[in-house]
Amino acid sequence: MTMRKWEIRYKLQQQGKYFFRTVEAVYQHEANKIFDAEMPNAIRCGSARSI
């Protein structure tokens, strides 16, 4: 399987500003899980999107 790049939009708890992070994974649900594990205090807005 090929690794793909996924972009995830998130917010930090005290700030209303959106940030973006790139994660490498094979599937979208894996990218979401990786992000949630690496940044547990961030609020993920939606799901990962392929870039």
Side-chain angles (χ1 to χ4, degrees):
M1 292 283 181
T2 9
M3 296 293 274
R4 295 169 58 187
K5 290 189 179 188
W6 301 88
E7 185 178 68
I8 299 172
R9 185 172 76 155
Y10 67 96
K11 289 196 300 191
L12 298 177
Q13 291 186 359
Q14 274 101 16
Q15 298 177 349
K17 184 177 175 184
Y18 289 104
F19 299 95
F20 293 93
R21 180 162 182 153
T22 304
V23 174
E24 286 193 23
V26 177
Y27 298 111
Q28 183 182 35
H29 69 275
E30 289 177 347
N32 291 334
K33 286 182 181 181
I34 290 169
F35 176 81
D36 291 341
E38 289 179 351
M39 300 189 70
N41 295 331
I43 301 167
R44 185 167 38 93
C45 302
S47 197
R49 70 177 187 99
S50 180
I51 53 172

